[in-house]
Amino acid sequence: MSENAEYFGDPHRVALARRSADLWELLKDNPRFSYYGRPVGLCDPRDDAATILAAMARVQGAGVSQFFPTTEADGLFAELQGEGLTTDRHEQFLGGQEALRASQALLARRPLPSDLEIVAIDANTSRDLVARVAELCQSCDVSPVPGAAMRGVTRPGVCLAALDRKGEPVATGASFMSHHPASPRAAHAFWGMLATRSDRRGEGIALLLGAMAIDHMWRNHGARAFITGVRAGNASSRALCEKLAVLPTQWIYAWCMDPRSFGEQPVTK
Ligand SMILES: CC(C)(COP(=O)(O)OP(=O)(O)OC[C@H]1O[C@@H](n2cnc3c(N)ncnc32)[C@H](O)[C@@H]1OP(=O)(O)O)[C@@H](O)C(=O)NCCC(=O)NCCS
């Protein structure tokens, strides 16, 4: 792997991202798994979900299952915590054709603030701008994907940044194809990584970036569904998703972490 690879965050986060990239090399031919730069995920949980999540957490540092039934979350988490692992959850939201309609309608009626320009990060984008977009994400408590993923090299997709007149990124949003072509979820794209600098919130910027990403992925990459994780209680994120018809489901993103990978002691019962 190139020493020039662009990873972000503290050393534990960088190590996690490197392990995820390596694990994906091993698992990318298996349709049960998905990847777009964050930890490799299980995308069709079955009876073995706890076993797989625990293994992913120990190997990678963190494991996640998308499409995990909300009603089974407590049992799963109890089992994983019994193994000395920690758990977390995001509610899974999903949008389809209605999300495309809502996005296109919004783009037709709502202009971008006049001081901003939108750029799509690609292979030619400067390392400096990619790093500043990652910093923006971190300042909003959003995990940035590695540079190769932002640039659309890791998976087909798009990462957009709204730049002000000084060329500073004030908001970002992304969407990437993340599943194996043989997966029943092959046309589901990850959508999100939305972050707006605190002094530019409420101007409709994230809504526009989110809508542009949906429109782009539908037209250019065959995306027909958009999934994202929203933390319960994140009212602004939830409202934004709902405006674009990306709606709550009966699934969660079920997370499992090995505390030792983050320099912490294992959890004891
Ligand atoms: C979520 C976030 C990206 C929204 O960015 P933003 O540019 O301020 O969002 P917008 O101005 O485009 O708002 C979009 C819609 O969300 C809703 N909204 C925005 N802020 C809100 C708030 N504080 N409470 C309730 N609804 C809110 C509104 O319905 C708004 O639509 P409207 O302008 O038509 O009323 C921003 O708050 C942020 O960076 N938060 C921290 C990171 C985060 O939580 N990201 C999402 C991860 S899933």
Side-chain angles (χ1 to χ4, degrees), residues 90 106 109-110 137 139-142 170-172 191-198 200-209 228-231 234-241 243:
H90 287 94
L106 182 103
R109 72 167 188 271
R110 194 153 170 172
C137 289
S139 75
C140 296
D141 216 14
V142 169
V170 302
T172 189
W191 170 82
M193 215 177 89
L194 292 161
T196 301
R197 207 173 69 194
S198 52
R200 297 299 305 252
R201 290 187 187 164
E203 297 180 52
I205 308 169
L207 205 48
L208 283 164
L209 291 180
T228 197
V230 177
R231 195 169 285 289
N234 188 340
S236 50
S237 179
R238 185 185 177 110
L240 189 159
C241 290
K243 287 218 157 181

Short mmCIF file of all heavy atoms in Angstrom, two decimals, residues 90 106 109-110 137 139-142 170-172 191-198 200-209 228-231 234-241 243, ligand 1:
data_model
loop_
_atom_site.label_atom_id
_atom_site.label_comp_id
_atom_site.label_asym_id
_atom_site.label_seq_id
_atom_site.Cartn_x
_atom_site.Cartn_y
_atom_site.Cartn_z
N HIS A 90 -26.50 3.33 14.70
CA HIS A 90 -27.11 4.43 13.98
C HIS A 90 -28.42 3.89 13.40
O HIS A 90 -28.46 2.73 12.96
CB HIS A 90 -26.23 4.91 12.82
CG HIS A 90 -25.02 5.69 13.27
ND1 HIS A 90 -23.79 5.10 13.45
CD2 HIS A 90 -24.86 7.00 13.55
CE1 HIS A 90 -22.92 6.03 13.84
NE2 HIS A 90 -23.54 7.18 13.92
N LEU A 106 -35.82 19.82 -5.65
CA LEU A 106 -35.10 20.80 -4.84
C LEU A 106 -34.06 21.54 -5.68
O LEU A 106 -33.93 22.76 -5.61
CB LEU A 106 -34.41 20.09 -3.68
CG LEU A 106 -33.67 21.05 -2.77
CD1 LEU A 106 -34.46 21.27 -1.50
CD2 LEU A 106 -32.28 20.57 -2.46
N ARG A 109 -35.47 24.28 -7.77
CA ARG A 109 -36.07 25.50 -7.18
C ARG A 109 -35.16 26.24 -6.22
O ARG A 109 -35.40 27.40 -5.92
CB ARG A 109 -37.40 25.16 -6.49
CG ARG A 109 -37.29 24.40 -5.23
CD ARG A 109 -38.58 24.36 -4.42
NE ARG A 109 -38.30 23.77 -3.14
CZ ARG A 109 -38.35 22.47 -2.87
NH1 ARG A 109 -38.73 21.62 -3.79
NH2 ARG A 109 -38.04 22.03 -1.67
N ARG A 110 -34.12 25.58 -5.70
CA ARG A 110 -33.37 26.22 -4.61
C ARG A 110 -31.95 26.53 -5.05
O ARG A 110 -31.16 25.62 -5.33
CB ARG A 110 -33.36 25.28 -3.40
CG ARG A 110 -32.93 25.97 -2.14
CD ARG A 110 -33.55 25.27 -0.95
NE ARG A 110 -32.95 25.76 0.27
CZ ARG A 110 -33.39 25.46 1.47
NH1 ARG A 110 -34.42 24.67 1.63
NH2 ARG A 110 -32.81 25.94 2.53
N CYS A 137 -14.99 17.63 8.05
CA CYS A 137 -15.80 16.50 8.56
C CYS A 137 -15.52 16.30 10.05
O CYS A 137 -16.45 16.22 10.86
CB CYS A 137 -15.46 15.20 7.82
SG CYS A 137 -16.04 15.16 6.14
N SER A 139 -14.34 18.30 12.23
CA SER A 139 -14.82 19.40 13.08
C SER A 139 -16.33 19.29 13.32
O SER A 139 -16.86 19.89 14.25
CB SER A 139 -14.47 20.76 12.47
OG SER A 139 -15.32 21.02 11.37
N CYS A 140 -17.02 18.53 12.47
CA CYS A 140 -18.47 18.33 12.62
C CYS A 140 -18.78 16.97 13.21
O CYS A 140 -19.94 16.52 13.20
CB CYS A 140 -19.16 18.46 11.26
SG CYS A 140 -19.02 20.09 10.51
N ASP A 141 -17.73 16.26 13.70
CA ASP A 141 -17.91 14.95 14.30
C ASP A 141 -18.40 13.91 13.30
O ASP A 141 -19.18 13.02 13.65
CB ASP A 141 -18.89 15.06 15.48
CG ASP A 141 -18.50 14.12 16.60
OD1 ASP A 141 -17.37 13.62 16.58
OD2 ASP A 141 -19.36 13.88 17.48
N VAL A 142 -17.97 14.06 12.08
CA VAL A 142 -18.31 13.10 11.02
C VAL A 142 -17.00 12.44 10.59
O VAL A 142 -16.00 13.13 10.40
CB VAL A 142 -18.95 13.85 9.82
CG1 VAL A 142 -19.06 12.95 8.60
CG2 VAL A 142 -20.31 14.40 10.21
N VAL A 170 -16.77 24.80 3.04
CA VAL A 170 -17.71 25.11 4.13
C VAL A 170 -18.72 23.98 4.32
O VAL A 170 -19.42 23.95 5.33
CB VAL A 170 -18.46 26.45 3.89
CG1 VAL A 170 -17.46 27.60 3.77
CG2 VAL A 170 -19.36 26.39 2.68
N ALA A 171 -18.80 23.07 3.36
CA ALA A 171 -19.72 21.93 3.51
C ALA A 171 -19.27 20.82 2.57
O ALA A 171 -18.62 21.08 1.56
CB ALA A 171 -21.15 22.33 3.19
N THR A 172 -19.64 19.60 2.95
CA THR A 172 -19.32 18.46 2.09
C THR A 172 -20.42 17.41 2.20
O THR A 172 -21.22 17.42 3.14
CB THR A 172 -17.94 17.87 2.44
OG1 THR A 172 -17.57 16.90 1.46
CG2 THR A 172 -17.92 17.22 3.81
N TRP A 191 -24.86 6.92 1.21
CA TRP A 191 -25.07 8.35 0.95
C TRP A 191 -24.93 9.07 2.29
O TRP A 191 -25.47 8.59 3.30
CB TRP A 191 -26.48 8.54 0.37
CG TRP A 191 -26.93 9.97 0.27
CD1 TRP A 191 -26.62 10.84 -0.73
CD2 TRP A 191 -27.77 10.67 1.19
NE1 TRP A 191 -27.23 12.05 -0.48
CE2 TRP A 191 -27.94 11.97 0.69
CE3 TRP A 191 -28.40 10.33 2.39
CZ2 TRP A 191 -28.71 12.94 1.34
CZ3 TRP A 191 -29.17 11.28 3.04
CH2 TRP A 191 -29.31 12.57 2.51
N GLY A 192 -24.20 10.17 2.31
CA GLY A 192 -24.09 10.90 3.58
C GLY A 192 -22.79 11.66 3.68
O GLY A 192 -22.43 12.39 2.77
N MET A 193 -22.07 11.43 4.78
CA MET A 193 -20.85 12.21 5.10
C MET A 193 -21.16 13.70 4.96
O MET A 193 -20.33 14.48 4.51
CB MET A 193 -19.68 11.78 4.21
CG MET A 193 -18.33 11.82 4.91
SD MET A 193 -16.97 11.24 3.86
CE MET A 193 -16.49 12.75 3.04
N LEU A 194 -22.38 14.07 5.35
CA LEU A 194 -22.79 15.47 5.23
C LEU A 194 -22.27 16.26 6.43
O LEU A 194 -22.45 15.85 7.58
CB LEU A 194 -24.32 15.57 5.18
CG LEU A 194 -24.94 14.99 3.90
CD1 LEU A 194 -26.42 14.68 4.10
CD2 LEU A 194 -24.76 15.96 2.73
N ALA A 195 -21.65 17.36 6.15
CA ALA A 195 -21.10 18.21 7.21
C ALA A 195 -21.06 19.64 6.72
O ALA A 195 -20.59 19.91 5.61
CB ALA A 195 -19.69 17.74 7.57
N THR A 196 -21.59 20.54 7.52
CA THR A 196 -21.55 21.97 7.18
C THR A 196 -20.88 22.72 8.33
O THR A 196 -21.23 22.49 9.51
CB THR A 196 -22.98 22.53 6.98
OG1 THR A 196 -23.60 21.80 5.92
CG2 THR A 196 -22.96 24.01 6.61
N ARG A 197 -19.91 23.57 8.01
CA ARG A 197 -19.23 24.37 9.04
C ARG A 197 -20.26 25.12 9.86
O ARG A 197 -21.23 25.64 9.29
CB ARG A 197 -18.25 25.33 8.35
CG ARG A 197 -17.07 25.72 9.20
CD ARG A 197 -16.08 26.51 8.39
NE ARG A 197 -16.62 27.83 8.04
CZ ARG A 197 -16.10 28.63 7.12
NH1 ARG A 197 -15.03 28.25 6.43
NH2 ARG A 197 -16.64 29.81 6.86
N SER A 198 -20.05 25.20 11.16
CA SER A 198 -21.13 25.67 12.03
C SER A 198 -21.65 27.06 11.66
O SER A 198 -22.84 27.33 11.75
CB SER A 198 -20.73 25.60 13.50
OG SER A 198 -19.51 26.24 13.67
N ARG A 200 -22.02 28.28 8.78
CA ARG A 200 -22.75 28.30 7.51
C ARG A 200 -23.97 27.37 7.54
O ARG A 200 -24.55 27.06 6.50
CB ARG A 200 -21.82 27.88 6.35
CG ARG A 200 -20.66 28.79 6.09
CD ARG A 200 -21.02 30.22 5.70
NE ARG A 200 -21.91 30.36 4.57
CZ ARG A 200 -21.55 30.82 3.35
NH1 ARG A 200 -20.31 31.17 3.13
NH2 ARG A 200 -22.45 30.97 2.40
N ARG A 201 -24.39 26.96 8.72
CA ARG A 201 -25.54 26.06 8.79
C ARG A 201 -26.84 26.83 8.59
O ARG A 201 -26.91 28.02 8.84
CB ARG A 201 -25.56 25.32 10.14
CG ARG A 201 -24.43 24.33 10.19
CD ARG A 201 -24.46 23.44 11.41
NE ARG A 201 -23.21 22.65 11.41
CZ ARG A 201 -22.73 21.99 12.42
NH1 ARG A 201 -23.38 21.96 13.56
NH2 ARG A 201 -21.59 21.32 12.31
N GLY A 202 -27.87 26.11 8.14
CA GLY A 202 -29.19 26.72 7.97
C GLY A 202 -29.36 27.47 6.66
O GLY A 202 -30.37 28.13 6.44
N GLU A 203 -28.38 27.39 5.77
CA GLU A 203 -28.48 28.07 4.47
C GLU A 203 -28.88 27.10 3.35
O GLU A 203 -28.86 27.47 2.17
CB GLU A 203 -27.14 28.73 4.09
CG GLU A 203 -26.69 29.80 5.05
CD GLU A 203 -25.35 30.39 4.59
OE1 GLU A 203 -25.22 30.80 3.43
OE2 GLU A 203 -24.42 30.42 5.41
N GLY A 204 -29.21 25.88 3.72
CA GLY A 204 -29.63 24.91 2.71
C GLY A 204 -28.47 24.27 1.95
O GLY A 204 -28.70 23.61 0.93
N ILE A 205 -27.24 24.44 2.46
CA ILE A 205 -26.09 23.94 1.68
C ILE A 205 -26.02 22.41 1.71
O ILE A 205 -25.84 21.77 0.66
CB ILE A 205 -24.77 24.55 2.21
CG1 ILE A 205 -24.86 26.08 2.28
CG2 ILE A 205 -23.61 24.14 1.31
CD1 ILE A 205 -23.70 26.74 3.02
N ALA A 206 -26.18 21.80 2.89
CA ALA A 206 -26.10 20.34 2.97
C ALA A 206 -27.24 19.70 2.16
O ALA A 206 -27.04 18.67 1.51
CB ALA A 206 -26.16 19.88 4.42
N LEU A 207 -28.41 20.33 2.22
CA LEU A 207 -29.55 19.81 1.46
C LEU A 207 -29.20 19.76 -0.03
O LEU A 207 -29.44 18.76 -0.72
CB LEU A 207 -30.73 20.74 1.71
CG LEU A 207 -32.16 20.27 1.57
CD1 LEU A 207 -32.41 18.97 2.27
CD2 LEU A 207 -33.10 21.35 2.08
N LEU A 208 -28.60 20.83 -0.53
CA LEU A 208 -28.24 20.88 -1.94
C LEU A 208 -27.15 19.86 -2.28
O LEU A 208 -27.24 19.15 -3.29
CB LEU A 208 -27.78 22.30 -2.32
CG LEU A 208 -28.92 23.29 -2.48
CD1 LEU A 208 -28.40 24.72 -2.48
CD2 LEU A 208 -29.68 23.02 -3.78
N LEU A 209 -26.14 19.76 -1.43
CA LEU A 209 -25.07 18.78 -1.70
C LEU A 209 -25.63 17.36 -1.68
O LEU A 209 -25.28 16.53 -2.53
CB LEU A 209 -23.94 18.91 -0.67
CG LEU A 209 -23.10 20.17 -0.73
CD1 LEU A 209 -22.03 20.14 0.36
CD2 LEU A 209 -22.43 20.32 -2.10
N THR A 228 -28.17 5.45 4.67
CA THR A 228 -27.31 6.22 5.56
C THR A 228 -27.66 5.92 7.00
O THR A 228 -28.76 5.42 7.29
CB THR A 228 -27.42 7.74 5.25
OG1 THR A 228 -26.30 8.42 5.83
CG2 THR A 228 -28.72 8.34 5.77
N GLY A 229 -26.73 6.21 7.89
CA GLY A 229 -26.98 6.01 9.31
C GLY A 229 -27.13 7.35 10.01
O GLY A 229 -26.32 8.25 9.80
N VAL A 230 -28.16 7.47 10.82
CA VAL A 230 -28.43 8.72 11.54
C VAL A 230 -28.51 8.38 13.03
O VAL A 230 -29.24 7.46 13.41
CB VAL A 230 -29.76 9.35 11.08
CG1 VAL A 230 -30.08 10.61 11.90
CG2 VAL A 230 -29.73 9.67 9.59
N ARG A 231 -27.77 9.13 13.84
CA ARG A 231 -27.84 8.88 15.27
C ARG A 231 -29.19 9.35 15.81
O ARG A 231 -29.65 10.44 15.44
CB ARG A 231 -26.70 9.60 15.99
CG ARG A 231 -26.50 9.10 17.40
CD ARG A 231 -25.23 9.62 18.00
NE ARG A 231 -24.02 8.96 17.52
CZ ARG A 231 -23.64 7.72 17.80
NH1 ARG A 231 -24.41 6.94 18.55
NH2 ARG A 231 -22.50 7.24 17.34
N ASN A 234 -30.40 13.14 16.36
CA ASN A 234 -29.76 14.14 15.48
C ASN A 234 -30.87 14.75 14.60
O ASN A 234 -31.12 14.32 13.47
CB ASN A 234 -28.66 13.49 14.63
CG ASN A 234 -27.85 14.52 13.85
OD1 ASN A 234 -28.30 15.65 13.64
ND2 ASN A 234 -26.67 14.14 13.41
N ALA A 235 -31.53 15.78 15.18
CA ALA A 235 -32.74 16.33 14.54
C ALA A 235 -32.43 16.96 13.19
O ALA A 235 -33.20 16.82 12.23
CB ALA A 235 -33.38 17.36 15.46
N SER A 236 -31.29 17.66 13.09
CA SER A 236 -31.01 18.34 11.82
C SER A 236 -30.73 17.32 10.71
O SER A 236 -31.22 17.46 9.59
CB SER A 236 -29.84 19.32 11.97
OG SER A 236 -28.75 18.70 12.58
N SER A 237 -29.99 16.28 11.05
CA SER A 237 -29.69 15.26 10.05
C SER A 237 -30.97 14.53 9.63
O SER A 237 -31.22 14.30 8.45
CB SER A 237 -28.67 14.28 10.63
OG SER A 237 -28.39 13.29 9.70
N ARG A 238 -31.80 14.21 10.61
CA ARG A 238 -33.04 13.51 10.31
C ARG A 238 -33.93 14.37 9.41
O ARG A 238 -34.49 13.89 8.41
CB ARG A 238 -33.76 13.20 11.62
CG ARG A 238 -35.01 12.37 11.41
CD ARG A 238 -35.79 12.16 12.70
NE ARG A 238 -37.00 11.43 12.35
CZ ARG A 238 -37.23 10.18 12.68
NH1 ARG A 238 -36.37 9.50 13.39
NH2 ARG A 238 -38.35 9.58 12.30
N ALA A 239 -34.06 15.67 9.75
CA ALA A 239 -34.93 16.55 8.95
C ALA A 239 -34.39 16.67 7.53
O ALA A 239 -35.16 16.65 6.55
CB ALA A 239 -34.99 17.93 9.61
N LEU A 240 -33.09 16.77 7.42
CA LEU A 240 -32.48 16.87 6.09
C LEU A 240 -32.79 15.62 5.27
O LEU A 240 -33.22 15.70 4.11
CB LEU A 240 -30.97 17.05 6.27
CG LEU A 240 -30.14 17.39 5.04
CD1 LEU A 240 -28.83 18.03 5.50
CD2 LEU A 240 -29.83 16.21 4.18
N CYS A 241 -32.56 14.45 5.88
CA CYS A 241 -32.84 13.19 5.16
C CYS A 241 -34.30 13.15 4.71
O CYS A 241 -34.60 12.81 3.55
CB CYS A 241 -32.56 12.00 6.06
SG CYS A 241 -30.82 11.74 6.39
N LYS A 243 -36.38 15.52 4.14
CA LYS A 243 -36.68 16.46 3.03
C LYS A 243 -36.31 15.85 1.68
O LYS A 243 -36.86 16.23 0.65
CB LYS A 243 -35.90 17.76 3.21
CG LYS A 243 -36.45 18.59 4.32
CD LYS A 243 -36.41 20.06 4.00
CE LYS A 243 -37.48 20.71 4.87
NZ LYS A 243 -37.62 22.11 4.70
C1 LIG B 1 -26.69 18.05 9.50
C2 LIG B 1 -25.98 19.22 8.82
C3 LIG B 1 -25.03 18.63 7.78
C4 LIG B 1 -27.00 20.12 8.16
O1 LIG B 1 -26.28 21.11 7.44
P1 LIG B 1 -26.97 22.49 6.93
O2 LIG B 1 -26.16 22.96 5.75
O3 LIG B 1 -27.14 23.41 8.06
O4 LIG B 1 -28.37 21.94 6.48
P2 LIG B 1 -29.44 22.73 5.60
O5 LIG B 1 -29.34 24.20 5.84
O6 LIG B 1 -29.27 22.26 4.19
O7 LIG B 1 -30.79 22.20 6.21
C5 LIG B 1 -31.49 21.19 5.61
C6 LIG B 1 -32.79 20.97 6.33
O8 LIG B 1 -32.52 20.35 7.56
C7 LIG B 1 -33.41 20.90 8.55
N1 LIG B 1 -32.59 21.44 9.63
C8 LIG B 1 -31.37 22.02 9.53
N2 LIG B 1 -30.92 22.32 10.75
C9 LIG B 1 -31.88 21.93 11.62
C10 LIG B 1 -31.99 21.94 13.03
N3 LIG B 1 -31.00 22.46 13.81
N4 LIG B 1 -33.10 21.41 13.59
C11 LIG B 1 -34.09 20.89 12.82
N5 LIG B 1 -34.03 20.85 11.47
C12 LIG B 1 -32.94 21.36 10.88
C13 LIG B 1 -34.29 21.89 7.90
O9 LIG B 1 -35.49 21.21 7.59
C14 LIG B 1 -33.55 22.23 6.64
O10 LIG B 1 -34.40 22.47 5.58
P3 LIG B 1 -34.96 23.96 5.28
O11 LIG B 1 -33.76 24.82 5.07
O12 LIG B 1 -35.75 23.78 4.02
O13 LIG B 1 -35.76 24.34 6.46
C15 LIG B 1 -25.19 20.08 9.84
O14 LIG B 1 -26.07 20.44 10.89
C16 LIG B 1 -23.98 19.40 10.43
O15 LIG B 1 -22.87 19.47 9.88
N6 LIG B 1 -24.19 18.69 11.55
C17 LIG B 1 -23.11 17.95 12.20
C18 LIG B 1 -22.73 16.73 11.38
C19 LIG B 1 -23.89 15.79 11.16
O16 LIG B 1 -24.67 15.50 12.06
N7 LIG B 1 -23.97 15.28 9.91
C20 LIG B 1 -24.94 14.32 9.53
C21 LIG B 1 -24.41 12.96 9.79
S1 LIG B 1 -25.65 11.71 9.47
#
